[in-house]
Amino acid sequence: QVQLVESGGGLVQAGGSLRLSCAASGSFFRINEMGWYRRAPGKQRVLVAVISSGGSTNYADSVKGRFTISRDNAKNTVYLQMNSLKAEDTDVYYCYAKCLVQILWGDYWGQGTQVTVSS
């Protein structure tokens, strides 16, 4: 019903930058919150950054001042600009969207994209 397709992950040296993108498609009427989470193998998924449909943002303390989340509502797309990357940012990053499908709001996830920062 809802597909989230991520792109932009990869390998970068410490201090470098990456930009993640995630486009939502499918049978939904509205998208409320969109965002990014991360998860290392064997660990729980944790918040990186989220943005509301009105543009309000929330960031994990570890990325404040380095990462910027934005969205293009016309394209149903959310972005994560990642600057000054550190080795500890290495993880699988998952796109998230809260979508209205028929009459129910649901949480939807992308397949994940690997970000690896070499020190």
Side-chain angles (χ1 to χ4, degrees):
Q1 290 175 318
V2 179
Q3 296 81 41
L4 300 178
V5 179
E6 300 137 333
S7 60
L11 173 64
V12 65
Q13 289 188 333
S17 298
L18 284 174
R19 188 189 195 214
L20 305 184
S21 300
C22 173
S25 63
S27 303
F28 54 86
F29 291 109
R30 287 177 57 191
I31 302 178
N32 188 355
E33 191 174 77
M34 301 186 80
W36 296 90
Y37 284 69
R38 58 186 288 183
R39 181 172 64 188
K43 296 186 177 181
Q44 286 189 331
R45 201 149 36 192
V46 297
L47 172 73
V48 177
V50 292
I51 183 168
S52 71
S53 57
S56 298
T57 59
N58 187 33
Y59 294 92
D61 288 341
S62 61
V63 306
K64 286 180 180 177
R66 300 188 299 121
F67 291 10
T68 302
I69 190 170
S70 61
R71 65 189 283 176
D72 184 333
N73 290 330
K75 296 181 179 180
N76 296 321
T77 300
V78 63
Y79 307 96
L80 186 68
Q81 179 66 44
M82 311 166 69
N83 297 330
S84 302
L85 282 160
K86 306 175 182 179
E88 50 263 43
D89 294 320
T90 295
D91 226 331
V92 179
Y93 286 72
Y94 294 88
C95 176
Y96 156 78
K98 183 177 289 293
C99 302
L100 179 62
V101 177
Q102 296 183 349
I103 62 171
L104 294 176
W105 285 100
D107 296 338
Y108 296 88
W109 298 90
Q111 79 283 358
T113 185
Q114 178 70 47
V115 171
T116 302
V117 184
S118 63
S119 57

